[in-house]
Amino acid sequence: MTDLTCKLLIIGGGPGGYVCGIRAGQLGIDTVVVEQARAGGTCLNVGCIPSKALIHAADEFHKLSHYDGRSALGITAASSAIDLARTISWKDGIVARLTGGVEGLLKKAGTRLIMGQAEFLDGKTVQVTTDAAALRIVAENVVIATGSEAVELPFLPFGGNVISSTEALALDAVPERLVVVGGGYIGLEIGTAFAKLGAAVTIVEATSKILPQYDSALTRPVMASLEALGIKLLLDTKARSESDAGLIVETADGESIDLPADKILVTVGRRPRSQGAGIPGLSLDMDGHFIRIDETCRTSMRGVFAIGDVTGEPMLAHRAMAQGEMVAEILSGKKRVWDKTCIPAVCFTDPEIVTCGLSPEEAKTAGIETTSGQFPFTANGRAMSMEAESGFVRVVARKDNGRILGLQGAGTGISELASAFAIAIEMGARLDDIAAIIHAHPTLGEALHEACLKALGHSLHI
Ligand code: FAD
Ligand code: NAD
């Protein structure tokens, strides 16, 4: 067995691990990243990027199929068709460019990427099984960035027609009937895309609402769009078992329904990859299956850090990246702690939802007296000119001094306002700071300006 030593060993080359690797290399730390599958992890290969590519293709197709002579825009197009296999190969091309880019960036930073499966022998020693050989790496510091995987329902194991998001993002034909189990992020994003591609979609959600973590004002525009797309939504309904024709579900009043399905997409959450790779042998302090970390991403074992999905909610790529960057800087001797006020979250539904900071309800629970302002896209010229009038921007601010605590909204293209929302909150902006800033016209960003004016009691355009 060959031995290798390094100052920093990162297990997992997803957004957490690869960003940590790039930054550590830039800072002159002798770093090795070990990845068992493909650089870029879930996000680049089977998550964020592939799903957004599919959503874009579905939007384009859907738009075209509505230019059938009834469009108010006066556009009529000949009948549309989709070759999903080609769409998927276009998506694969984007993935290849990005994952190749990650490999190049690691190399440029002087960080070694080893393709193989890592397993802890102890807190400083890891065995890596590669195609060619087994390798033992001894490191001063280790970062666990092993990510997460789709939760499987015991009575509905993946295989055959029962698929996870990974298979859904690689189908070569649009299923005629798609049943989605779980009305959360993935179920709604992918379910909506397939409905736009022509599938008859049913979403089965165990609780009484979609995206249970968001308030009803934010999910209402999405509910309306699901209905307009003809997506059947069964709330308070649980998947029970596969049947010959599809899926048997049980409604709140105990009724059993057999839903015909060509594919059953199970999206009931993701679980941290903390039970393999010899991680249990380290006896780290845990929060359930998540590895417990402090505000510097240190675990309970000296020299062992953990970042990304394996450390808890929110399981988002940008949180993993920010943690990875921070850990690299700490290891280079910089004084850093996790001091973020907010982590923006975007759900790429139709329309999109963005949340950042505290909702009115969360502020109330925290005992903070707030004032709030909301501006609808029906009064925004840019939204009207894009046929995207559904949704709004909402601001939540402290009543005593107007400091902005939260920004949320729903709307087509509102994902691009997530940065503005986060900047306002992280920089401690007050309502009158945003009110005093010139927002370019005509843009969706004017809704942020107007929501703040509304909270101050002098909105201009409503
Ligand atoms: P991962 O990306 O899961 O990477 C972990 C890596 O570790 C993997 O490559 C794995 O192969 C490797 N690994 C594991 N064990 C070992 C081992 N023993 N040895 C070697 N390598 C190992 N988030 C967003 O912010 N925005 C989105 O729009 C979004 N969309 C998503 C859509 C889908 C369909 C899915 C599934 C997820 C989406 N996410 C999104 C979530 C996002 O992908 C994750 O939060 C992010 O990838 C987590 O990064 P990570 O580095 O912690 O883990
Ligand atoms: P989720 O937690 O968002 O949603 C799962 C849903 O499934 C919940 O609404 C839950 O009530 C429901 N559910 C659970 N068991 C069920 C059952 N037996 N029958 C019916 N419904 C059931 O999980 P997800 O959609 O799998 O996504 C996982 C994670 O991936 C997200 O939490 C998020 O962190 C990340 N993600 C983020 C994005 C984004 O940022 N745009 C996109 C996709 C995924």
Side-chain angles (χ1 to χ4, degrees):
M1 191 177 295
T2 326
D3 273 337
L4 197 78
T5 56
C6 60
K7 173 143 189 210
L8 171 61
L9 171 63
I10 301 164
I11 300 175
Y18 86 69
V19 166
C20 190
I22 291 172
R23 189 68 188 123
Q26 288 172 345
L27 291 163
I29 301 171
D30 172 27
T31 306
V32 173
V33 176
V34 180
E35 169 55 52
Q36 67 187 5
R38 283 189 292 173
T42 304
C43 170
L44 296 193
N45 293 288
V46 293
C48 321
I49 300 299
S51 58
K52 270 77 246 178
L54 183 77
I55 289 167
H56 170 69
D59 283 345
E60 293 298 296
F61 178 70
H62 184 65
K63 204 189 292 171
L64 204 56
S65 49
H66 279 73
Y67 290 150
D68 54 0
R70 286 177 298 164
S71 165
L73 272 57
I75 302 173
T76 304
S79 67
S80 49
I82 178 128
D83 176 351
L84 192 65
R86 257 177 86 181
T87 312
I88 296 300
S89 98
W90 162 75
K91 176 267 290 181
D92 289 341
I94 294 169
V95 170
R97 271 167 58 201
L98 288 169
T99 54
V102 164
E103 288 172 13
L105 290 168
L106 286 168
K107 199 169 169 189
K108 187 171 147 209
T111 292
R112 284 167 287 176
L113 173 64
I114 296 177
M115 299 309 292
Q117 191 167 31
E119 178 152 11
F120 279 99
L121 299 179
D122 60 47
K124 296 211 175 303
T125 320
V126 167
Q127 176 161 317
V128 180
T129 311
T130 70
D131 282 347
L135 195 72
R136 200 171 52 190
I137 305 180
V138 180
E140 270 176 50
N141 296 284
V142 183
V143 174
I144 304 174
T146 47
S148 64
E149 58 202 1
V151 167
E152 193 173 43
L153 291 171
F155 50 85
L156 209 56
F158 294 127
N161 288 332
V162 181
I163 58 174
S164 74
S165 53
T166 299
E167 293 77 37
L169 294 168
L171 291 175
D172 55 11
V174 178
E176 226 170 277
R177 297 158 308 177
L178 175 69
V179 172
V180 179
V181 182
Y185 274 88
I186 302 180
L188 288 173
E189 287 187 4
I190 300 181
T192 301
F194 274 107
K196 290 183 177 179
L197 290 170
V201 175
T202 305
I203 298 177
V204 178
E205 165 57 45
T207 69
S208 59
K209 64 194 290 280
I210 55 165
L211 294 167
Q213 66 272 49
Y214 295 144
D215 59 68
S216 313
L218 292 167
T219 54
R220 207 168 294 126
V222 177
M223 292 281 283
S225 147
L226 296 179
E227 194 180 340
L229 286 166
I231 294 176
K232 196 165 148 192
L233 182 60
L234 300 176
L235 297 174
D236 288 316
T237 302
K238 288 195 177 96
R240 282 291 174 230
S241 61
E242 212 179 339
S243 68
D244 290 342
L247 179 72
I248 296 173
V249 298
E250 190 185 320
T251 63
D253 45 22
E255 191 194 345
S256 254
I257 309 175
D258 195 347
L259 297 171
D262 301 298
K263 294 282 179 214
I264 301 164
L265 169 60
V266 179
T267 56
V268 293
R270 293 182 61 82
R271 73 163 150 254
R273 275 202 207 93
S274 61
Q275 299 308 297
I279 296 171
L282 301 180
S283 301
L284 301 173
D285 286 355
M286 305 291 286
D287 282 322
H289 278 334
F290 292 117
I291 297 175
R292 184 177 298 170
I293 51 168
D294 67 9
E295 73 286 358
T296 57
C297 287
R298 284 184 171 87
T299 68
S300 55
M301 183 179 269
R302 190 190 297 266
V304 178
F305 294 74
I307 57 174
D309 283 8
V310 76
T311 63
E313 301 279 0
M315 290 197 258
L316 296 173
H318 40 281
R319 171 177 172 267
M321 292 192 232
Q323 289 178 320
E325 190 207 21
M326 181 186 78
V327 168
E329 298 210 341
I330 288 170
L331 288 171
S332 78
K334 289 184 198 287
K335 224 171 154 44
R336 292 280 314 268
V337 289
W338 189 258
D339 57 359
K340 315 290 180 203
T341 308
C342 62
I343 302 174
V346 180
C347 192
F348 292 82
T349 37
D350 181 3
E352 295 165 349
I353 297 176
V354 175
T355 57
C356 199
L358 299 183
S359 68
E361 207 46 49
E362 285 165 341
K364 197 172 160 195
T365 308
I368 307 169
E369 230 191 312
T370 60
T371 178
S372 178
Q374 189 165 312
F375 187 80
F377 283 119
T378 42
N380 175 280
R382 176 69 171 154
M384 288 163 81
S385 63
M386 295 194 306
E387 298 181 286
E389 294 178 37
S390 166
F392 60 89
V393 171
R394 180 177 70 198
V395 64
V396 183
R398 288 187 70 98
K399 198 162 191 167
D400 53 2
N401 60 13
R403 183 168 172 163
I404 297 174
L405 302 173
L407 280 157
Q408 300 90 30
T412 303
I414 200 175
S415 51
E416 293 304 328
L417 292 187
S419 298
F421 289 4
I423 290 168
I425 294 171
E426 287 293 351
M427 297 195 71
R430 294 171 188 232
L431 291 170
D432 44 17
D433 291 323
I434 304 294
I437 290 169
I438 297 176
H439 288 68
H441 177 74
T443 63
L444 298 179
E446 288 174 284
L448 165 61
H449 190 216
E450 285 284 354
C452 292
L453 290 175
K454 180 87 189 294
L456 288 166
H458 51 88
S459 54
L460 290 166
H461 290 92
I462 195 152

